[in-house]
Amino acid sequence: MSAARRLARELTKLHEHLPPGISVALAEGFQEWRMNIKVLDDNPIYAGETYQLLFRFGNSYPIEPPEVVFKQTPEHPIPLHPHVYSNGIICLDLLDRQGWSPVHNVESICVSLQSMLTGNTKRERPPGDEQFVRSNRSRPRDINFLFHDNDV
Amino acid sequence: MDKNFEITDSTDWLDTPLSSFSVLETALRCQVCKDFFDTPMITSCSHTFCSLCIRRCLASDGKCPACRASDDASKLRRNWTVQEVVDGFSGARPQALELARKESEEKEDQGKGRRKLKRKIVDTDLEEHTSPRRSQRTTRSQASRTEVTPAHAEAISIEDSDATAEESEDEQPEPDDGLVPCPMCSKRMKEESVFVHLDRCEEEQKQDKKRAAQVRLSETRSAHTLPQHNSTAPQRLPQLNYSILKDIALRKKLQELGIPAWGPKQLLARRHTEWINLWNSNCDSSRPRKKSELLRELDQWERSQGGHTRDSAIPSVMRKDFDGKSWAQDNSDQFQSLIAAARAKRNQKKEGQESKDTNGDTEMLETRTGPPNAANTETATNSDDSKIAHDADEAAVVSRVIPDVQALSSIRNKVQAANDGVLVQETPEDASTRILSLNGNSDQSQQMTSVPSLHPGSSESLGMSPVKKIPMFAIPEEPVKDIETEQAAQ
């Protein structure tokens, strides 16, 4: 109820005003949204590509964080980043219960991820990516990430 | 749902000439629910949120959502000033917004047909020349129309009225009644009584003022102070330490509070937390609601986040973030083979007895199918790649195995009935067929002729000690039976 109300409000805001490089791909209902993000500066790693983010909201949003992953589609690859696994799972404290704050919203998450990509210079996946992607069956919120990199 | 699902937002101002109001409105909205502050409370780090929002946040992680400073609900203080500002602004908002929107529409029209409008103005000017005093007035009101803010319009109208009042006062001739005005209060009286009056005049005026001020004060105060002075003002509820409370004690607490007391302990604790948040924020409010309304809110919570979630009852019984889908996916083969085994069993059993237990409620099914499945998964698929999922699943199973008292007692009854000899003989057969169908390994099934030895063994390998504590592996045919009744129902 409160989640739906808040999401409805966020959605009207998103339709009226969005930061550059971010757009709503699909937002029907208040369970799952898709957002497209682009890296705007001339970072060669991400130039010319659009990425799709999949948001899943629980009933306790915004007290609890939404689940956010990169979604792979024919038009949208998974960005190459040392904190993004090749199955789209993102290791970012903002999206974890410890780092999350109800003050954040869909827009601020998109902006954070956009700037996370913009600031990246390494063309690599996180360590142990292959094994993680092969073995992981649980959803992002069930994974206990260990946040070590404070530069992002 | 709410009375009005109309979504207002600070961005409503952006398209109007009053776009700077958007900033003001953003400041008057809670950062958690993005709505206007409802009973604003200030934290010890001086951030303001709705009472209910901040209480829920603090109950969830004990930190201020804005600055991540740790805080406690008991340190929250009311912020009446913000409440008044919000009340005032939200009251004025619809009118102001309407005016602002009309203004922007008019501007658009102006842009389209400027020439036409100009001619109109000229026309009115010509007309006005005939009455000079009037022309002044109209141009002023025209000015106010082209002014942007409604505040301006108001100010101008006030100015006008003041001016006329002054004029009328100035023009007013002294009435010819043979009286003279008091030089201090301009009260008219007989000439000879003026000096007597002057002695008291000052004091009288003071008293009058005082009285008026008192009346005004009590008017403004009454809105906020009334609930506090009310002798039946509700008391805030203390938080509980759920970890030291026993299941039954907590259930009793909920009953005392008059809220639903069903479900496992975890759900009880969550419901109690939510109730405390609702109740205490209601205590903060200047317009407290009745308990029945709060109960309705709790019921709403129950349906969206509590025990009545639409996703099914399962998530409420186990860990909050248990991933049911991947669990079902991982174990789908086991489920299939179990169902197949149960079907075969049912055909055998049907001849022997009519359905013995009709009260095979779903809750029981849940608690009973949990452990055997986990065991089966372990024996069947010992591959590495399900390890991570397993860890989560095991934890979930453990929490699932702690069932509620009702389910337990009904199971115990069944155990007794089974021990009376109705089903004992079928047990080993049953288990072995199940294992067989899973593993295709006859050696193993022969080793496990007696079921009690099978289950502790396999559960030990999983490190599931809670399973061992439950004194009824002696009848692992239970899940089969329950599945059967379920199928019969289907």
Side-chain angles (χ1 to χ4, degrees), chain A residues 6 9 59 98 100-101 135 142, chain B residues 8 32 65 68 304 321 385:
Chain A
R6 160 141 174 184
R9 189 163 276 124
N59 278 321
Q98 270 75 48
W100 170 255
S101 157
S135 63
D142 299 329
Chain B
T8 58
V32 174
R68 318 292 299 153
S304 64
D321 44 357
D385 47 350

Side-chain angles (χ1 to χ4, degrees), chain B residues 76-97:
Chain B
L76 295 173
R77 291 291 172 267
R78 275 179 273 226
N79 201 341
W80 286 135
T81 311
V82 171
Q83 173 86 72
E84 276 169 43
V85 174
V86 166
D87 285 351
F89 182 80
S90 53
R93 186 183 193 274
Q95 272 179 301
L97 191 62

Side-chain angles (χ1 to χ4, degrees), chain B residues 337-352 423 425-434 477 479-481 483-484 487:
Chain B
S337 49
L338 272 174
I339 289 168
R343 279 203 180 122
K345 205 76 215 117
R346 178 176 61 174
N347 295 338
Q348 278 181 34
K349 250 191 278 176
K350 254 189 183 164
E351 307 141 21
L423 282 164
Q425 286 196 330
E426 285 175 14
T427 309
E429 255 180 59
D430 182 25
S432 58
T433 46
R434 186 149 46 88
E477 85 278 23
V480 178
K481 240 180 357 124
I483 283 170
E484 183 212 359
Q487 281 186 344

Side-chain angles (χ1 to χ4, degrees), chain B residues 214-347:
Chain B
Q214 271 173 348
V215 168
R216 235 177 292 137
L217 246 178
S218 65
E219 271 171 4
T220 49
R221 258 191 205 165
S222 61
H224 293 314
T225 45
L226 257 183
Q228 282 165 305
H229 288 307
N230 205 338
S231 58
T232 57
Q235 292 292 307
R236 288 194 182 80
L237 294 170
Q239 272 154 338
L240 294 177
N241 187 347
Y242 303 115
S243 54
I244 59 161
L245 267 179
K246 283 254 171 61
D247 201 349
I248 296 165
L250 183 57
R251 209 175 292 275
K252 215 173 180 181
K253 266 272 187 325
L254 297 196
Q255 275 164 355
E256 278 168 16
L257 292 172
I259 57 177
W262 53 269
K265 188 180 169 188
Q266 204 188 23
L267 180 63
L268 294 180
R270 281 175 54 218
R271 189 184 295 130
H272 185 257
T273 310
E274 176 68 13
W275 179 251
I276 286 186
N277 293 339
L278 283 171
W279 181 270
N280 288 355
S281 74
N282 192 47
C283 293
D284 297 332
S285 175
S286 58
R287 299 174 279 264
R289 293 173 295 170
K290 282 187 202 138
K291 189 180 175 184
S292 57
E293 284 177 69
L294 296 184
L295 280 170
R296 219 172 300 139
E297 287 245 332
L298 187 71
D299 189 48
Q300 232 172 48
W301 172 87
E302 197 80 59
R303 267 179 277 135
S304 64
Q305 293 169 54
H308 285 314
T309 40
R310 243 182 305 137
D311 310 334
S312 82
I314 303 169
S316 70
V317 199
M318 48 183 139
R319 213 176 55 177
K320 198 159 52 171
D321 44 357
F322 174 71
D323 183 10
K325 263 188 196 158
S326 79
W327 165 266
Q329 222 166 24
D330 286 352
N331 298 302
S332 65
D333 351 2
Q334 276 76 42
F335 289 148
Q336 291 305 322
S337 49
L338 272 174
I339 289 168
R343 279 203 180 122
K345 205 76 215 117
R346 178 176 61 174
N347 295 338

Side-chain angles (χ1 to χ4, degrees), chain A residues 1-10 12-14 16-17 30-31 56 58-64 96-105 131-132 134-139 141-143, chain B residues 1-2 4-12 14-15 29 31-35 49 53 56-57 60-61 63-66 68 300 304-305 309-310 319-323 326 330 385-386 388-389:
Chain A
M1 175 54 216
S2 55
R5 243 188 117 77
R6 160 141 174 184
L7 283 169
R9 189 163 276 124
E10 277 190 41
T12 50
K13 206 165 199 161
L14 287 178
E16 293 209 5
H17 171 75
F30 302 120
Q31 308 282 329
R56 283 203 203 97
N59 278 321
S60 42
Y61 178 82
I63 305 293
E64 285 187 1
D96 191 73
R97 289 203 61 176
Q98 270 75 48
W100 170 255
S101 157
V103 171
H104 294 304
N105 55 35
Q131 203 208 333
F132 173 78
R134 189 154 36 82
S135 63
N136 181 55
R137 293 283 165 82
S138 48
R139 293 170 63 168
R141 60 177 168 193
D142 299 329
I143 304 168
Chain B
M1 295 275 134
D2 230 29
N4 54 338
F5 204 79
E6 198 198 339
I7 302 296
T8 58
D9 193 75
S10 55
T11 48
D12 292 349
L14 287 181
D15 303 336
R29 283 176 181 275
Q31 293 191 77
V32 174
C33 63
K34 310 276 183 199
D35 218 331
F49 302 95
C53 294
R56 278 180 178 155
C57 289
S60 151
D61 65 353
K63 282 182 189 150
C64 165
R68 318 292 299 153
Q300 232 172 48
S304 64
Q305 293 169 54
T309 40
R310 243 182 305 137
R319 213 176 55 177
K320 198 159 52 171
D321 44 357
F322 174 71
D323 183 10
S326 79
D330 286 352
D385 47 350
S386 56
I388 296 179

